[in-house]
Amino acid sequence: MTDEYRDLGRARLENEEEFVDILEERRQSSDLGHALRTFSPHPYKGAQSCSTADLKKAVLESQYLHYIAKEIAAETGSSMEEVKEEACRILEEMSQNLQLKFIRLMGFTLTKVLKRLYSSIFVNMEGLNTLQQAVQENPVILMPNHRSYMDFLVISYILFTYDIPLPVIAAGIPLAGMKMVGEILRRSGAFFIRRAIGSDKLYWAVLSEYVRTVVKTGIAPLEFYVEGLRSRTLKSVMPKLGMMHMVMEPFFKGEVYDITLVPISISYDRVLEESLLAHELLGIPKPKESTTGLLKASKVLQEDYGSMHVNFGRPISVRHLCQGKINRCQYNLVPRDLPQKPSADVQACVSWVAHLMVKVQEEGYVIGPWALMACLLLQAPTRVLTEEGLLWQELTEKTLWVRKLALDFGARLNWPSGQGQSSDVMSSTVALHASVVYRKAGRVFLVQEEEPARERPISPEKEVIRTAAAVLMLASYRNQCLHIFVRPALLATAFHITKAAQKEELLAFFCFLRDVFSNEFIFIPGNSSQDFEEACSLLRKCGAVHVSEQEVTVSDAGLEVLSFLQALLQPFIDSYQVIFRYLCENQVHVFAEKQFLSAVRNLAKELILSGELLTYEALSSDTHKNVLSALQRLETVTKSRASEQNEYTVNKAAVRRINDILSGKIPPQMLPSTPDAKL
C-alpha cells in the first residue's frame, strides 16, 4: 500500500477523547425519547427527489434493463412481457422500503438490546463528523467489515443518533424470509440479494441497475460488505468484486462527478456468534435464519459481550483513486445505457480498490488484550490447555511482551486504563471470555462443551471435534490481530525455512509464501516488494534484524521475536500441507468439492488422533476452501465449467512441487501464475 493511503483507517486510540461511548448518554436518558426525537439529516446536495416507487420505476423503465430483457427474450423464446414480469418480481423481492417510523421502532428496540449486551459502544467522533460533511458533497458508499449480525444494525443506529442520512443496505435474502423481522429490516433500509446468483442474466441486470440508480440519484448512502459474506473466522476475507464494480460504474460512465468510499472498522471484544461460527467451520450446518430462532437466541441478552469500537475511516475519493489507472474515454464509445464488458484495466482497478478497502478496514481495527492472549494460548500444545493448564504468570508476562511488539508494529490497542495493574486487565479479559477459557489454581484451561450423559463415553473422533470447536473459537480471536503481524511473520518463516541471509533469497521465499497465502490474508495486488520492505522495516524497528543493502541478519535479541512470529503462521502451513498431502496421495485426479471437504477433514482427524498433526485448525472448512481457491489461482487445480457438482482436476506434480518448496526441500521457483498477475 502506498504511504498516501496507509493511515486512512486510523483514529489514534492513545487520545481517548477521539472515541465516545454512545451508550453512556442512552443509560441516562429516555429510550423512547431518543427514538421519537426530531431527526434532521443533511442529505447529498445533488440528490434527486426519489420515492421507493420512483426508484423501482426508474429501474424497470431503464434502457439498460430493456436491452437485457430483449436479449433474454430472444435467447429463451419468451415474450418481452414475460421477461419484464420476472424482472418486476425480482425487484419486489429485492428492493428496500425505508420508512422513518420503522427506523424509530428499530432505534427504540436496539437501544434496549445494546445496553443489555455491551458495556460500551465507542465511536470515533472525528470520523463521524467527516462523514456528516461527506454525505452532502457526493454519493457515499459505506463499507464496513462483516463479523456479526450486529454490524449493519449498529451502523444505522449510530447514523440515526447523529442526524446523518440513513443508508440503504445490501443484505442476504434469508433475512427477508424471517416473519415480521424481514419486513422491519426492509423498511429500515435493507435490500435483499440472493446468495447464489450464478449465471442468472436477468437477476444480475436488475441488481446492477438498482445499485447504480441508488448511487447516481444519491437518494441515500449505500452500504455493503466488500467481503461478501460474514467472516466465520473473524479475519478479513478476500473481497468480492461484483458489487464493488456496480457502485463504481456510475463514475466510470461519467454519470456522477465523484463517489466517496467510507471504510468502517467494527471491532468486538466478544462476538455474539462465537460458538455458532466455530461449529460452522467444523461442518455443522448454520441454523436457518428465522424469527423463532431469533426468539430462542434471546438468552444471549443474559451474557456480557464487553465493548465494541466503530471506527469511521477517512472518506476516500473514487476519482482520486482511479486517476492514472483507467481511461474513462472507452465509455464514450458506447451509449451509457447499454451493457459494456469492463476492460482489463477497469477490472484491475476495481480489484485494487476492493483490496485497498479491506486493508484500510484492517488498519482501523481496535485490538483488545484478548486477541494478544489468544495468540499465545494457541502456541501452547493443545494437550497443555485441555489437561495441564498454562501457567497464568507465564501468560501475563508474555502478553505484555506481545503488547509492546504490537505497538512497535503500529497496532492500535484498546488496553483499559481504569482497571489498575495490567494483570487486572487480563483477569477481567479472561472472565469476559469464560465461554472459551477458565482459570484454576494459577493456570488457564480451555473450556470444552459438556456432552449429554446419554452420549458418554465419547468416541475419539467426537473428542477431536469437541476440542476443535474450542480451539477454533480461540483462533477466531487471534485472527483479529493477524494483520498486524502477517508480513513480519512471512519473513520470519522465510528465515526459518531457508536459513538464508541474502536479501534476494529471502525476498524470493517471501513472495512464494505471499502467493500461496493470498487467499488467507489480504495483500494489495502488485505490492510484493513493498510488503517485503515493510516486513524488514518493522523487524528492524523492534531490534529483531539488521538490514543492509544485500543482507538481512537476525540479531541476538531477535530470536524470540522471530520464533513468536513463525509460530503464528505455523498452523496455516500445517493445515495447507495436510491438504497438499491429500491431493498428492489420493488416487483420483478429478474430485467434487463436497467429497474433497469431507475427505480432508477425515484425514486431518486421523492425523490428529495419531499424533502426527498438532493443529486442530486443519479441520476448518474455510481453510480447506481457501487452499482450493489458492490452487485454482496458481493453476494447479482446474475447475470444470461443465460440472454442476463443482468438480476439479488436480495437477499432482505441481501441488507436490509447491509442498516441497513450502517444506524447504527445494528452493522457490516461479509458480505458473501469481496473484498480482492474475488480478
Side-chain angles (χ1 to χ4, degrees), residues 235-301:
K235 67 180 173 65
S236 298
V237 178
M238 283 277 284
K240 306 295 186 290
L241 306 184
M243 185 73 80
M244 190 80 241
H245 181 265
M246 288 178 205
V247 300
M248 293 176 71
E249 195 170 31
F251 168 74
F252 294 153
K253 290 188 171 183
E255 294 171 305
V256 294
Y257 178 77
D258 198 1
I259 295 169
T260 300
L261 308 179
V262 180
I264 305 172
S265 309
I266 308 175
S267 313
Y268 295 91
D269 279 355
R270 185 182 169 202
V271 176
L272 269 70
E273 306 93 329
E274 57 183 9
S275 176
L276 180 69
L277 295 175
H279 285 88
E280 280 183 48
L281 293 172
L282 293 169
I284 298 165
K286 181 180 73 169
K288 184 181 177 182
E289 287 98 338
S290 67
T291 306
T292 306
L294 182 65
L295 294 172
K296 285 180 180 177
S298 60
K299 65 178 182 180
V300 300
L301 294 174

Side-chain angles (χ1 to χ4, degrees), residues 171-187:
I173 196 68
L175 294 174
M178 296 173 68
K179 289 180 182 177
M180 290 174 47
V181 174
E183 191 57 32
I184 291 172
L185 293 175
R186 189 186 298 276
R187 297 188 186 209

Side-chain angles (χ1 to χ4, degrees), residues 557-575:
L559 293 174
E560 185 179 14
V561 173
L562 294 186
S563 175
F564 165 75
L565 293 171
Q566 190 269 324
L568 273 183
L569 209 58
Q570 195 61 47
F572 297 95
I573 293 174
D574 291 344
S575 300

Side-chain angles (χ1 to χ4, degrees), residues 241-497:
L241 306 184
M243 185 73 80
M244 190 80 241
H245 181 265
M246 288 178 205
V247 300
M248 293 176 71
E249 195 170 31
F251 168 74
F252 294 153
K253 290 188 171 183
E255 294 171 305
V256 294
Y257 178 77
D258 198 1
I259 295 169
T260 300
L261 308 179
V262 180
I264 305 172
S265 309
I266 308 175
S267 313
Y268 295 91
D269 279 355
R270 185 182 169 202
V271 176
L272 269 70
E273 306 93 329
E274 57 183 9
S275 176
L276 180 69
L277 295 175
H279 285 88
E280 280 183 48
L281 293 172
L282 293 169
I284 298 165
K286 181 180 73 169
K288 184 181 177 182
E289 287 98 338
S290 67
T291 306
T292 306
L294 182 65
L295 294 172
K296 285 180 180 177
S298 60
K299 65 178 182 180
V300 300
L301 294 174
Q302 299 162 20
E303 298 270 341
D304 178 9
Y305 290 89
S307 63
M308 180 198 307
H309 284 77
V310 184
N311 185 5
F312 289 86
R314 191 189 312 163
I316 305 171
S317 160
V318 168
R319 189 179 190 86
H320 182 57
L321 286 178
C322 296
Q323 196 168 5
K325 284 190 163 51
I326 61 166
N327 177 12
R328 291 197 295 158
C329 292
Q330 60 191 285
Y331 286 96
N332 295 334
L333 304 176
V334 178
R336 288 175 179 171
D337 292 326
L338 295 186
Q340 186 174 353
K341 186 178 179 181
S343 61
D345 63 333
V346 168
Q347 292 182 57
C349 179
V350 169
S351 174
W352 179 78
V353 171
H355 281 78
L356 177 65
M357 288 301 104
V358 179
K359 186 72 172 61
V360 173
Q361 287 172 354
E362 288 183 335
E363 293 184 345
Y365 293 161
V366 176
I367 307 301
W370 180 236
L372 306 181
M373 297 174 80
C375 289
L376 295 166
L377 286 164
L378 285 165
Q379 293 188 11
T382 305
R383 182 183 54 78
V384 170
L385 295 179
T386 56
E387 298 174 16
E388 304 167 17
L390 187 66
L391 281 171
W392 172 250
Q393 186 175 352
E394 179 186 335
L395 176 62
T396 55
E397 288 175 358
K398 193 77 184 219
T399 300
L400 292 175
W401 178 84
V402 175
R403 176 184 179 231
K404 182 181 182 304
L405 184 65
L407 289 171
D408 284 344
F409 286 178
R412 294 186 299 99
L413 301 182
N414 171 36
W415 196 273
S417 56
Q419 297 179 350
Q421 299 294 326
S422 289
S423 59
D424 295 334
V425 171
M426 287 181 269
S427 294
S428 63
T429 297
V430 167
L432 179 67
H433 292 277
S435 58
V436 185
V437 295
Y438 66 95
R439 280 177 68 186
K440 183 180 178 182
R443 292 177 179 270
V444 182
F445 295 84
L446 199 61
V447 172
Q448 291 178 279
E449 291 179 349
E450 286 293 329
E451 290 291 331
R454 65 178 181 276
E455 295 185 18
R456 296 175 187 164
I458 304 169
S459 67
E461 290 78 11
K462 280 193 173 180
E463 184 64 34
V464 168
I465 294 297
R466 195 166 75 105
T467 302
V471 169
L472 290 177
M473 282 171 67
L474 191 58
S476 66
Y477 289 104
R478 174 211 59 198
N479 291 344
Q480 290 182 313
C481 67
L482 278 182
H483 64 280
I484 300 165
F485 300 113
V486 67
R487 286 160 184 76
L490 291 178
L491 184 51
T493 302
F495 274 119
H496 177 74
I497 294 175

Side-chain angles (χ1 to χ4, degrees), residues 207-208 229 287 328 346 385 401 508 576 589 591 593 617 652:
L207 174 60
S208 58
L229 299 173
R328 291 197 295 158
V346 168
L385 295 179
W401 178 84
Y576 274 50
H589 287 261
F591 59 89
E593 183 176 338
E617 294 181 56
K652 292 180 183 290

